[in-house]
Amino acid sequence: MSDIPTDLPEPTPPQAQRCAVYTRVSMDNAEDDKLSSVQAQFMACHELIASQFGKHWVPTDRIYEDRGYSGSHIRRPGLQQLLSDVADGLVDIVVVHRLDRLSRHMGDFSALMQDFERHGVALVSVTQSIDTSGP
């Protein structure tokens, strides 16, 4: 007989980090482009999420997108849905292509960051050196 206990609990798998991708474009020329700006942003964000597989990052099923909206205000349907899902605890990390996709107004950006922080949500930009998902 072995001295190794056999009634040990199974190890708990690491918690998935739910990543919400937010994309925005001021001018919606999707009909004219074979690959629109929103599609390119979406793909770049998902490539970043896939590269973080070891950190258990997974994309959410919901698409958060605003086409034809300025970044000068936060009254955008896709962003408002994202903020609602953040408040409901459905998002762990927000991934954007560039920070100005969230807001071009520093006051609004600061308020968004405070809201993310209050809900324990990190912000990661694909093209800019910001990643609040770690220390």
Side-chain angles (χ1 to χ4, degrees):
M1 289 235 178
S2 161
D3 290 338
I4 300 173
T6 57
D7 58 345
L8 293 175
E10 289 291 318
T12 305
Q15 183 81 12
Q17 296 295 299
R18 300 161 298 174
C19 299
V21 171
Y22 176 74
T23 59
R24 180 189 65 77
V25 64
S26 297
M27 302 284 293
D28 186 12
N29 296 332
E31 307 84 34
D32 302 335
D33 299 331
K34 291 190 189 299
L35 180 66
S36 74
S37 174
V38 166
Q39 291 168 323
Q41 291 174 51
F42 184 84
M43 289 171 45
C45 290
H46 277 268
E47 286 174 11
L48 176 68
I49 292 168
S51 76
Q52 300 302 310
F53 180 78
K55 293 182 179 179
H56 309 286
W57 288 21
V58 294
T60 61
D61 291 335
R62 185 165 283 168
I63 295 175
Y64 304 96
E65 164 183 299
D66 287 310
R67 292 177 185 247
Y69 285 88
S70 168
S72 65
H73 59 82
I74 61 171
R75 296 177 312 275
R76 292 172 257 144
L79 180 59
Q80 291 303 311
Q81 182 62 61
L82 172 62
L83 295 175
S84 176
D85 288 354
V86 163
D88 289 343
L90 302 176
V91 175
D92 299 305
I93 301 170
V94 173
V95 181
V96 294
H97 187 255
R98 292 189 332 240
L99 297 177
D100 69 351
R101 300 300 85 193
L102 280 176
S103 179
R104 291 186 179 270
H105 184 267
M106 189 53 103
D108 287 342
F109 183 79
S110 178
L112 290 169
M113 290 302 300
Q114 289 173 5
D115 195 37
F116 292 164
E117 187 175 312
R118 183 172 45 258
H119 291 96
V121 171
L123 173 64
V124 177
S125 170
V126 172
T127 61
Q128 294 163 305
S129 295
I130 184 169
D131 179 346
T132 64
S133 68

mmCIF file of all heavy atoms in Angstrom, residues 11-44:
data_model
loop_
_atom_site.group_PDB
_atom_site.id
_atom_site.type_symbol
_atom_site.label_atom_id
_atom_site.label_comp_id
_atom_site.label_asym_id
_atom_site.label_seq_id
_atom_site.Cartn_x
_atom_site.Cartn_y
_atom_site.Cartn_z
ATOM 1 N N PRO A 11 -7.480 19.771 -8.406
ATOM 2 C CA PRO A 11 -7.034 21.165 -8.448
ATOM 3 C C PRO A 11 -8.059 22.035 -9.177
ATOM 4 O O PRO A 11 -8.682 21.597 -10.140
ATOM 5 C CB PRO A 11 -5.714 21.117 -9.200
ATOM 6 C CG PRO A 11 -5.646 19.774 -9.832
ATOM 7 C CD PRO A 11 -6.615 18.880 -9.128
ATOM 8 N N THR A 12 -8.233 23.241 -8.688
ATOM 9 C CA THR A 12 -9.161 24.177 -9.308
ATOM 10 C C THR A 12 -8.509 24.782 -10.545
ATOM 11 O O THR A 12 -7.396 25.304 -10.461
ATOM 12 C CB THR A 12 -9.517 25.304 -8.316
ATOM 13 O OG1 THR A 12 -10.018 24.724 -7.119
ATOM 14 C CG2 THR A 12 -10.545 26.242 -8.903
ATOM 15 N N PRO A 13 -9.190 24.701 -11.684
ATOM 16 C CA PRO A 13 -8.598 25.296 -12.884
ATOM 17 C C PRO A 13 -8.517 26.817 -12.735
ATOM 18 O O PRO A 13 -9.333 27.413 -12.039
ATOM 19 C CB PRO A 13 -9.566 24.899 -14.007
ATOM 20 C CG PRO A 13 -10.830 24.513 -13.338
ATOM 21 C CD PRO A 13 -10.497 24.106 -11.935
ATOM 22 N N PRO A 14 -7.541 27.442 -13.389
ATOM 23 C CA PRO A 14 -7.416 28.900 -13.301
ATOM 24 C C PRO A 14 -8.678 29.585 -13.827
ATOM 25 O O PRO A 14 -9.325 29.083 -14.747
ATOM 26 C CB PRO A 14 -6.216 29.231 -14.188
ATOM 27 C CG PRO A 14 -5.495 27.944 -14.373
ATOM 28 C CD PRO A 14 -6.515 26.854 -14.211
ATOM 29 N N GLN A 15 -9.001 30.708 -13.234
ATOM 30 C CA GLN A 15 -10.172 31.489 -13.623
ATOM 31 C C GLN A 15 -9.949 32.131 -14.996
ATOM 32 O O GLN A 15 -8.921 32.749 -15.229
ATOM 33 C CB GLN A 15 -10.412 32.588 -12.581
ATOM 34 C CG GLN A 15 -11.634 33.423 -12.812
ATOM 35 C CD GLN A 15 -12.901 32.769 -12.332
ATOM 36 O OE1 GLN A 15 -12.877 31.775 -11.616
ATOM 37 N NE2 GLN A 15 -14.017 33.307 -12.730
ATOM 38 N N ALA A 16 -10.902 31.969 -15.892
ATOM 39 C CA ALA A 16 -10.825 32.620 -17.199
ATOM 40 C C ALA A 16 -10.947 34.128 -17.017
ATOM 41 O O ALA A 16 -11.704 34.602 -16.174
ATOM 42 C CB ALA A 16 -11.939 32.121 -18.107
ATOM 43 N N GLN A 17 -10.187 34.870 -17.784
ATOM 44 C CA GLN A 17 -10.245 36.328 -17.789
ATOM 45 C C GLN A 17 -11.077 36.748 -19.007
ATOM 46 O O GLN A 17 -10.617 36.643 -20.146
ATOM 47 C CB GLN A 17 -8.837 36.929 -17.860
ATOM 48 C CG GLN A 17 -7.985 36.602 -16.655
ATOM 49 C CD GLN A 17 -8.563 37.233 -15.399
ATOM 50 O OE1 GLN A 17 -8.678 38.445 -15.295
ATOM 51 N NE2 GLN A 17 -8.939 36.405 -14.448
ATOM 52 N N ARG A 18 -12.297 37.196 -18.747
ATOM 53 C CA ARG A 18 -13.230 37.549 -19.818
ATOM 54 C C ARG A 18 -12.849 38.898 -20.425
ATOM 55 O O ARG A 18 -12.888 39.919 -19.747
ATOM 56 C CB ARG A 18 -14.653 37.581 -19.273
ATOM 57 C CG ARG A 18 -15.082 36.226 -18.702
ATOM 58 C CD ARG A 18 -16.246 36.349 -17.785
ATOM 59 N NE ARG A 18 -15.859 37.201 -16.642
ATOM 60 C CZ ARG A 18 -16.686 37.607 -15.703
ATOM 61 N NH1 ARG A 18 -17.957 37.275 -15.761
ATOM 62 N NH2 ARG A 18 -16.271 38.353 -14.703
ATOM 63 N N CYS A 19 -12.498 38.871 -21.702
ATOM 64 C CA CYS A 19 -12.002 40.058 -22.405
ATOM 65 C C CYS A 19 -13.065 40.604 -23.348
ATOM 66 O O CYS A 19 -13.511 39.908 -24.264
ATOM 67 C CB CYS A 19 -10.750 39.713 -23.202
ATOM 68 S SG CYS A 19 -9.386 39.127 -22.188
ATOM 69 N N ALA A 20 -13.443 41.856 -23.125
ATOM 70 C CA ALA A 20 -14.393 42.545 -23.993
ATOM 71 C C ALA A 20 -13.609 43.440 -24.946
ATOM 72 O O ALA A 20 -12.813 44.264 -24.520
ATOM 73 C CB ALA A 20 -15.351 43.381 -23.165
ATOM 74 N N VAL A 21 -13.853 43.259 -26.226
ATOM 75 C CA VAL A 21 -13.205 44.084 -27.249
ATOM 76 C C VAL A 21 -14.142 45.232 -27.590
ATOM 77 O O VAL A 21 -15.318 45.009 -27.902
ATOM 78 C CB VAL A 21 -12.900 43.246 -28.511
ATOM 79 C CG1 VAL A 21 -12.437 44.140 -29.649
ATOM 80 C CG2 VAL A 21 -11.874 42.176 -28.195
ATOM 81 N N TYR A 22 -13.616 46.459 -27.512
ATOM 82 C CA TYR A 22 -14.403 47.627 -27.907
ATOM 83 C C TYR A 22 -13.758 48.273 -29.125
ATOM 84 O O TYR A 22 -12.555 48.542 -29.128
ATOM 85 C CB TYR A 22 -14.505 48.661 -26.783
ATOM 86 C CG TYR A 22 -15.249 49.905 -27.233
ATOM 87 C CD1 TYR A 22 -16.627 49.867 -27.405
ATOM 88 C CD2 TYR A 22 -14.560 51.059 -27.556
ATOM 89 C CE1 TYR A 22 -17.309 50.978 -27.874
ATOM 90 C CE2 TYR A 22 -15.235 52.172 -28.027
ATOM 91 C CZ TYR A 22 -16.607 52.129 -28.184
ATOM 92 O OH TYR A 22 -17.274 53.227 -28.664
ATOM 93 N N THR A 23 -14.560 48.512 -30.161
ATOM 94 C CA THR A 23 -14.081 49.162 -31.374
ATOM 95 C C THR A 23 -14.973 50.350 -31.696
ATOM 96 O O THR A 23 -16.168 50.356 -31.391
ATOM 97 C CB THR A 23 -14.069 48.193 -32.571
ATOM 98 O OG1 THR A 23 -15.391 47.698 -32.786
ATOM 99 C CG2 THR A 23 -13.127 47.028 -32.328
ATOM 100 N N ARG A 24 -14.358 51.367 -32.326
ATOM 101 C CA ARG A 24 -15.097 52.563 -32.720
ATOM 102 C C ARG A 24 -14.442 53.177 -33.936
ATOM 103 O O ARG A 24 -13.226 53.147 -34.085
ATOM 104 C CB ARG A 24 -15.104 53.593 -31.590
ATOM 105 C CG ARG A 24 -15.858 54.879 -31.946
ATOM 106 C CD ARG A 24 -15.676 55.964 -30.898
ATOM 107 N NE ARG A 24 -14.305 56.428 -30.786
ATOM 108 C CZ ARG A 24 -13.701 57.259 -31.631
ATOM 109 N NH1 ARG A 24 -14.331 57.705 -32.702
ATOM 110 N NH2 ARG A 24 -12.444 57.625 -31.438
ATOM 111 N N VAL A 25 -15.283 53.741 -34.799
ATOM 112 C CA VAL A 25 -14.796 54.506 -35.943
ATOM 113 C C VAL A 25 -15.743 55.682 -36.133
ATOM 114 O O VAL A 25 -16.959 55.542 -36.007
ATOM 115 C CB VAL A 25 -14.678 53.626 -37.216
ATOM 116 C CG1 VAL A 25 -16.010 53.111 -37.675
ATOM 117 C CG2 VAL A 25 -13.971 54.360 -38.325
ATOM 118 N N SER A 26 -15.177 56.863 -36.377
ATOM 119 C CA SER A 26 -15.989 58.068 -36.525
ATOM 120 C C SER A 26 -16.796 58.065 -37.819
ATOM 121 O O SER A 26 -17.952 58.454 -37.841
ATOM 122 C CB SER A 26 -15.107 59.319 -36.489
ATOM 123 O OG SER A 26 -14.477 59.425 -35.245
ATOM 124 N N MET A 27 -16.170 57.657 -38.904
ATOM 125 C CA MET A 27 -16.837 57.622 -40.205
ATOM 126 C C MET A 27 -17.046 56.166 -40.584
ATOM 127 O O MET A 27 -16.090 55.405 -40.633
ATOM 128 C CB MET A 27 -15.969 58.302 -41.267
ATOM 129 C CG MET A 27 -15.616 59.735 -40.956
ATOM 130 S SD MET A 27 -16.958 60.881 -41.224
ATOM 131 C CE MET A 27 -17.118 60.805 -42.978
ATOM 132 N N ASP A 28 -18.287 55.797 -40.858
ATOM 133 C CA ASP A 28 -18.570 54.415 -41.231
ATOM 134 C C ASP A 28 -18.574 54.280 -42.748
ATOM 135 O O ASP A 28 -19.544 54.609 -43.406
ATOM 136 C CB ASP A 28 -19.908 53.971 -40.649
ATOM 137 C CG ASP A 28 -20.175 52.500 -40.886
ATOM 138 O OD1 ASP A 28 -19.243 51.779 -41.289
ATOM 139 O OD2 ASP A 28 -21.322 52.064 -40.657
ATOM 140 N N ASN A 29 -17.466 53.800 -43.276
ATOM 141 C CA ASN A 29 -17.336 53.555 -44.711
ATOM 142 C C ASN A 29 -17.253 52.056 -44.985
ATOM 143 O O ASN A 29 -16.584 51.628 -45.904
ATOM 144 C CB ASN A 29 -16.078 54.238 -45.265
ATOM 145 C CG ASN A 29 -16.154 55.735 -45.134
ATOM 146 O OD1 ASN A 29 -17.234 56.310 -45.133
ATOM 147 N ND2 ASN A 29 -15.002 56.375 -45.009
ATOM 148 N N ALA A 30 -17.930 51.269 -44.173
ATOM 149 C CA ALA A 30 -17.808 49.813 -44.247
ATOM 150 C C ALA A 30 -18.174 49.268 -45.624
ATOM 151 O O ALA A 30 -17.596 48.287 -46.079
ATOM 152 C CB ALA A 30 -18.680 49.150 -43.184
ATOM 153 N N GLU A 31 -19.127 49.913 -46.311
ATOM 154 C CA GLU A 31 -19.532 49.403 -47.619
ATOM 155 C C GLU A 31 -18.411 49.568 -48.646
ATOM 156 O O GLU A 31 -18.319 48.832 -49.605
ATOM 157 C CB GLU A 31 -20.777 50.140 -48.131
ATOM 158 C CG GLU A 31 -21.940 50.148 -47.165
ATOM 159 C CD GLU A 31 -21.857 51.269 -46.124
ATOM 160 O OE1 GLU A 31 -21.354 52.369 -46.426
ATOM 161 O OE2 GLU A 31 -22.287 51.027 -44.998
ATOM 162 N N ASP A 32 -17.563 50.597 -48.450
ATOM 163 C CA ASP A 32 -16.512 50.894 -49.418
ATOM 164 C C ASP A 32 -15.252 50.071 -49.206
ATOM 165 O O ASP A 32 -14.473 49.901 -50.127
ATOM 166 C CB ASP A 32 -16.136 52.380 -49.344
ATOM 167 C CG ASP A 32 -17.339 53.283 -49.604
ATOM 168 O OD1 ASP A 32 -18.293 52.832 -50.273
ATOM 169 O OD2 ASP A 32 -17.318 54.426 -49.126
ATOM 170 N N ASP A 33 -15.027 49.599 -47.993
ATOM 171 C CA ASP A 33 -13.774 48.933 -47.651
ATOM 172 C C ASP A 33 -13.937 47.421 -47.641
ATOM 173 O O ASP A 33 -14.902 46.900 -47.107
ATOM 174 C CB ASP A 33 -13.294 49.369 -46.259
ATOM 175 C CG ASP A 33 -13.021 50.855 -46.171
ATOM 176 O OD1 ASP A 33 -12.660 51.445 -47.201
ATOM 177 O OD2 ASP A 33 -13.160 51.399 -45.064
ATOM 178 N N LYS A 34 -12.946 46.736 -48.208
ATOM 179 C CA LYS A 34 -12.937 45.279 -48.106
ATOM 180 C C LYS A 34 -12.647 44.873 -46.662
ATOM 181 O O LYS A 34 -13.197 43.922 -46.155
ATOM 182 C CB LYS A 34 -11.901 44.681 -49.045
ATOM 183 C CG LYS A 34 -12.253 44.836 -50.511
ATOM 184 C CD LYS A 34 -11.320 44.011 -51.364
ATOM 185 C CE LYS A 34 -11.445 44.265 -52.818
ATOM 186 N NZ LYS A 34 -12.661 44.016 -53.456
ATOM 187 N N LEU A 35 -11.770 45.616 -45.992
ATOM 188 C CA LEU A 35 -11.471 45.397 -44.589
ATOM 189 C C LEU A 35 -11.603 46.748 -43.898
ATOM 190 O O LEU A 35 -10.756 47.619 -44.057
ATOM 191 C CB LEU A 35 -10.052 44.842 -44.396
ATOM 192 C CG LEU A 35 -9.640 44.589 -42.948
ATOM 193 C CD1 LEU A 35 -10.478 43.477 -42.332
ATOM 194 C CD2 LEU A 35 -8.166 44.241 -42.868
ATOM 195 N N SER A 36 -12.685 46.926 -43.168
ATOM 196 C CA SER A 36 -12.939 48.214 -42.540
ATOM 197 C C SER A 36 -12.039 48.414 -41.328
ATOM 198 O O SER A 36 -11.446 47.470 -40.802
ATOM 199 C CB SER A 36 -14.405 48.318 -42.117
ATOM 200 O OG SER A 36 -14.642 47.521 -40.966
ATOM 201 N N SER A 37 -11.962 49.637 -40.868
ATOM 202 C CA SER A 37 -11.180 49.976 -39.685
ATOM 203 C C SER A 37 -11.673 49.208 -38.461
ATOM 204 O O SER A 37 -10.879 48.711 -37.676
ATOM 205 C CB SER A 37 -11.254 51.482 -39.423
ATOM 206 O OG SER A 37 -10.625 51.805 -38.205
ATOM 207 N N VAL A 38 -12.989 49.096 -38.312
ATOM 208 C CA VAL A 38 -13.545 48.364 -37.172
ATOM 209 C C VAL A 38 -13.139 46.896 -37.240
ATOM 210 O O VAL A 38 -12.764 46.299 -36.231
ATOM 211 C CB VAL A 38 -15.082 48.526 -37.099
ATOM 212 C CG1 VAL A 38 -15.713 47.521 -36.162
ATOM 213 C CG2 VAL A 38 -15.447 49.943 -36.674
ATOM 214 N N GLN A 39 -13.183 46.320 -38.419
ATOM 215 C CA GLN A 39 -12.779 44.917 -38.567
ATOM 216 C C GLN A 39 -11.302 44.740 -38.237
ATOM 217 O O GLN A 39 -10.927 43.771 -37.578
ATOM 218 C CB GLN A 39 -13.068 44.423 -39.986
ATOM 219 C CG GLN A 39 -14.543 44.296 -40.291
ATOM 220 C CD GLN A 39 -14.803 44.093 -41.771
ATOM 221 O OE1 GLN A 39 -14.123 44.670 -42.620
ATOM 222 N NE2 GLN A 39 -15.796 43.274 -42.083
ATOM 223 N N ALA A 40 -10.473 45.668 -38.698
ATOM 224 C CA ALA A 40 -9.036 45.582 -38.411
ATOM 225 C C ALA A 40 -8.781 45.723 -36.909
ATOM 226 O O ALA A 40 -7.957 44.991 -36.346
ATOM 227 C CB ALA A 40 -8.282 46.659 -39.185
ATOM 228 N N GLN A 41 -9.481 46.657 -36.254
ATOM 229 C CA GLN A 41 -9.341 46.808 -34.797
ATOM 230 C C GLN A 41 -9.752 45.518 -34.090
ATOM 231 O O GLN A 41 -9.056 45.034 -33.191
ATOM 232 C CB GLN A 41 -10.236 47.944 -34.290
ATOM 233 C CG GLN A 41 -9.827 49.334 -34.690
ATOM 234 C CD GLN A 41 -10.875 50.342 -34.252
ATOM 235 O OE1 GLN A 41 -11.281 50.347 -33.096
ATOM 236 N NE2 GLN A 41 -11.308 51.187 -35.180
ATOM 237 N N PHE A 42 -10.886 44.970 -34.506
ATOM 238 C CA PHE A 42 -11.422 43.750 -33.908
ATOM 239 C C PHE A 42 -10.423 42.598 -34.032
ATOM 240 O O PHE A 42 -10.146 41.895 -33.060
ATOM 241 C CB PHE A 42 -12.753 43.410 -34.589
ATOM 242 C CG PHE A 42 -13.474 42.230 -34.007
ATOM 243 C CD1 PHE A 42 -14.286 42.379 -32.896
ATOM 244 C CD2 PHE A 42 -13.353 40.977 -34.574
ATOM 245 C CE1 PHE A 42 -14.963 41.287 -32.359
ATOM 246 C CE2 PHE A 42 -14.018 39.887 -34.049
ATOM 247 C CZ PHE A 42 -14.831 40.045 -32.935
ATOM 248 N N MET A 43 -9.873 42.435 -35.224
ATOM 249 C CA MET A 43 -8.922 41.345 -35.453
ATOM 250 C C MET A 43 -7.658 41.525 -34.622
ATOM 251 O O MET A 43 -7.163 40.560 -34.019
ATOM 252 C CB MET A 43 -8.587 41.251 -36.940
ATOM 253 C CG MET A 43 -9.740 40.720 -37.760
ATOM 254 S SD MET A 43 -9.526 40.811 -39.562
ATOM 255 C CE MET A 43 -7.882 40.242 -39.791
ATOM 256 N N ALA A 44 -7.127 42.745 -34.558
ATOM 257 C CA ALA A 44 -5.913 42.994 -33.776
ATOM 258 C C ALA A 44 -6.155 42.717 -32.296
ATOM 259 O O ALA A 44 -5.304 42.133 -31.613
ATOM 260 C CB ALA A 44 -5.432 44.427 -33.989
#
